[in-house]
Amino acid sequence: MQKDAVERLGLRQLLLEPELLSSVEPDVNLVGTLVSLSRAIPERTRETARAVVRKVVEDIERKLADRLLAAVHGAIDRSRRTSRPRLSDVDWNRTIRKNLRHYQPDQGTVIVQDLVGNSRRSRQASLRDVVLLVDQSGSMAESVVYSAVLGASLASLKAVDTKLVVFDTEVVDLTEQLKDPVDLLFSTQLGGGTDINRAVAYGQSLVRRPTDTVMVLISDLYEGGVARELQRRVRELVQSGVTVVVLLALSDSGTPAYDHELAAKLSELGAPAFACTPDLFPDLLATALRREDVGAWAEQSGIPVGR
């Protein structure tokens, strides 16, 4: 069936004649198709397929990576500020600006009443944990592509410990492959059923420090597992202090078909559910890392939540 699809979609000529790559503009949808049919691509044309995928991946990185990294750095720096820093951790520029109202003209000096600085953490320790749980069922192909690229960018930050897990009826931890999003994409297996509860259970096992963890579940919420158990797990995560966000899609294609009832229930539990474009993802993640109200951010951005 997959080999037939390769023929019908006209991919064989593209893969057999690499020079055609110069005359076509690969996009996210083509990458999703190639990844979903990867097991049917002949060995002699696999490098061509990888070249197509890498071209799209690099294009996404150029558009989004810098914005994502800047947003995450800004969010972490802001959340680490404290009014009681050690002397060596004082941010003197911010401290002076904050205390300018206490300037004493006759003495030509500023009386410092409030210190501004950063909380000290071990240089070896990450400051935040981000767990990405990505539904790899066939309808989520575009979301899988963007998740792989954005996850790889996050993994380059020492301040954030990033985990990426893909799932259908099985759960596969691909964290070790975040160094190369192309390899990661060819390790996915688009299509099949969905067991979201099982994936969230695995994600829950990765949580080391709840209040410093952001868990992003990317799924259309058509649950093939036990929906009631899924809700229980999400409730436990939220109550423990984990920031849980449900993205019905991470794509440019608009809000997809999804389980409206389950989305509403998860939103009521404190895990806002909505679709997000890749362009908005950096701001979304920054909001979550600052432990601000993600649902309110979505509403302010004109995104309907949990409906």
Side-chain angles (χ1 to χ4, degrees), residues 59 224 287:
D59 184 49
T287 301

Side-chain angles (χ1 to χ4, degrees), residues 26-156:
D27 59 15
V28 173
N29 291 321
L30 177 57
V31 169
T33 300
L34 288 173
V35 170
S36 66
L37 299 174
S38 62
R39 287 163 178 75
I41 296 174
E43 189 64 35
R44 65 184 182 282
T45 59
R46 283 186 177 274
E47 283 309 309
T48 306
R50 291 180 64 85
V52 173
V53 173
R54 188 167 296 282
K55 184 176 181 180
V56 175
V57 164
E58 290 174 349
D59 184 49
I60 296 172
E61 288 175 332
R62 280 193 297 271
K63 292 178 181 177
L64 297 176
D66 288 345
R67 284 187 52 220
L68 177 66
L69 301 187
V72 170
H73 273 304
I76 290 176
D77 287 345
R78 177 175 169 182
S79 65
R80 292 176 63 211
R81 291 177 196 168
T82 175
S83 60
R84 300 181 63 185
R86 299 180 184 183
L87 186 61
S88 60
D89 296 328
V90 173
D91 186 325
W92 289 109
N93 288 332
R94 288 197 179 97
T95 295
I96 291 170
R97 285 198 297 271
K98 185 170 184 178
N99 289 276
L100 282 176
R101 64 182 183 278
H102 304 307
Y103 177 69
Q104 304 295 313
D106 55 328
Q107 300 179 35
T109 189
V110 172
I111 303 299
V112 175
Q113 295 188 4
D114 301 296
L115 294 174
V116 179
N118 294 326
S119 302
R120 176 170 292 189
R121 297 270 191 119
S122 166
R123 292 183 180 179
Q124 303 301 318
S126 58
L127 300 169
R128 293 289 188 274
D129 296 334
V130 176
V131 180
L132 303 176
L133 303 176
V134 186
D135 184 342
Q136 63 175 354
S137 59
S139 60
M140 301 297 293
E142 191 175 347
S143 297
V144 171
V145 175
Y146 280 117
S147 297
V149 179
L150 292 168
S153 295
L154 281 175
S156 69

Side-chain angles (χ1 to χ4, degrees), residues 13-295:
Q13 185 179 8
L14 173 66
L15 297 174
L16 290 175
E17 300 180 36
E19 62 272 13
L20 285 179
L21 289 179
S22 62
S23 63
V24 299
E25 189 61 39
D27 59 15
V28 173
N29 291 321
L30 177 57
V31 169
T33 300
L34 288 173
V35 170
S36 66
L37 299 174
S38 62
R39 287 163 178 75
I41 296 174
E43 189 64 35
R44 65 184 182 282
T45 59
R46 283 186 177 274
E47 283 309 309
T48 306
R50 291 180 64 85
V52 173
V53 173
R54 188 167 296 282
K55 184 176 181 180
V56 175
V57 164
E58 290 174 349
D59 184 49
I60 296 172
E61 288 175 332
R62 280 193 297 271
K63 292 178 181 177
L64 297 176
D66 288 345
R67 284 187 52 220
L68 177 66
L69 301 187
V72 170
H73 273 304
I76 290 176
D77 287 345
R78 177 175 169 182
S79 65
R80 292 176 63 211
R81 291 177 196 168
T82 175
S83 60
R84 300 181 63 185
R86 299 180 184 183
L87 186 61
S88 60
D89 296 328
V90 173
D91 186 325
W92 289 109
N93 288 332
R94 288 197 179 97
T95 295
I96 291 170
R97 285 198 297 271
K98 185 170 184 178
N99 289 276
L100 282 176
R101 64 182 183 278
H102 304 307
Y103 177 69
Q104 304 295 313
D106 55 328
Q107 300 179 35
T109 189
V110 172
I111 303 299
V112 175
Q113 295 188 4
D114 301 296
L115 294 174
V116 179
N118 294 326
S119 302
R120 176 170 292 189
R121 297 270 191 119
S122 166
R123 292 183 180 179
Q124 303 301 318
S126 58
L127 300 169
R128 293 289 188 274
D129 296 334
V130 176
V131 180
L132 303 176
L133 303 176
V134 186
D135 184 342
Q136 63 175 354
S137 59
S139 60
M140 301 297 293
E142 191 175 347
S143 297
V144 171
V145 175
Y146 280 117
S147 297
V149 179
L150 292 168
S153 295
L154 281 175
S156 69
L157 288 174
K158 292 183 179 179
V160 179
D161 183 43
T162 305
K163 307 289 187 186
L164 189 141
V165 178
V166 298
F167 66 93
D168 41 39
T169 53
E170 300 295 328
V171 177
V172 182
D173 192 330
L174 296 179
T175 301
E176 294 301 317
Q177 298 188 48
L178 278 170
K179 293 179 181 179
D180 188 336
V182 176
D183 285 343
L184 191 154
L185 283 169
F186 278 103
S187 296
T188 63
Q189 185 174 341
L190 291 170
T194 310
D195 191 337
I196 307 170
N197 175 56
R198 188 172 184 178
V200 172
Y202 182 79
Q204 193 172 22
S205 74
L206 298 176
V207 176
R208 301 174 297 163
R209 40 188 189 172
T211 57
D212 287 333
T213 299
V214 174
M215 182 178 293
V216 183
L217 170 63
I218 304 172
S219 173
D220 55 17
L221 297 181
Y222 286 118
E223 173 64 304
V226 184
R228 184 172 297 179
E229 276 295 294
L230 169 62
Q231 293 171 56
R232 180 185 64 78
R233 291 187 190 282
V234 170
R235 181 185 297 108
E236 288 178 353
L237 285 162
V238 172
Q239 290 178 346
S240 71
V242 176
T243 298
V244 182
V245 182
V246 180
L247 297 187
L248 305 168
L250 180 58
S251 74
D252 293 308
S253 302
T255 305
Y258 65 94
D259 187 322
H260 290 254
E261 182 179 355
L262 186 51
K265 288 180 178 177
L266 294 181
S267 293
E268 290 171 1
L269 292 173
F274 52 90
C276 179
T277 63
D279 283 344
L280 284 175
F281 185 77
D283 294 336
L284 159 66
L285 187 58
T287 301
L289 289 169
R290 291 193 298 265
R291 294 186 61 79
E292 296 175 359
D293 190 331
V294 174

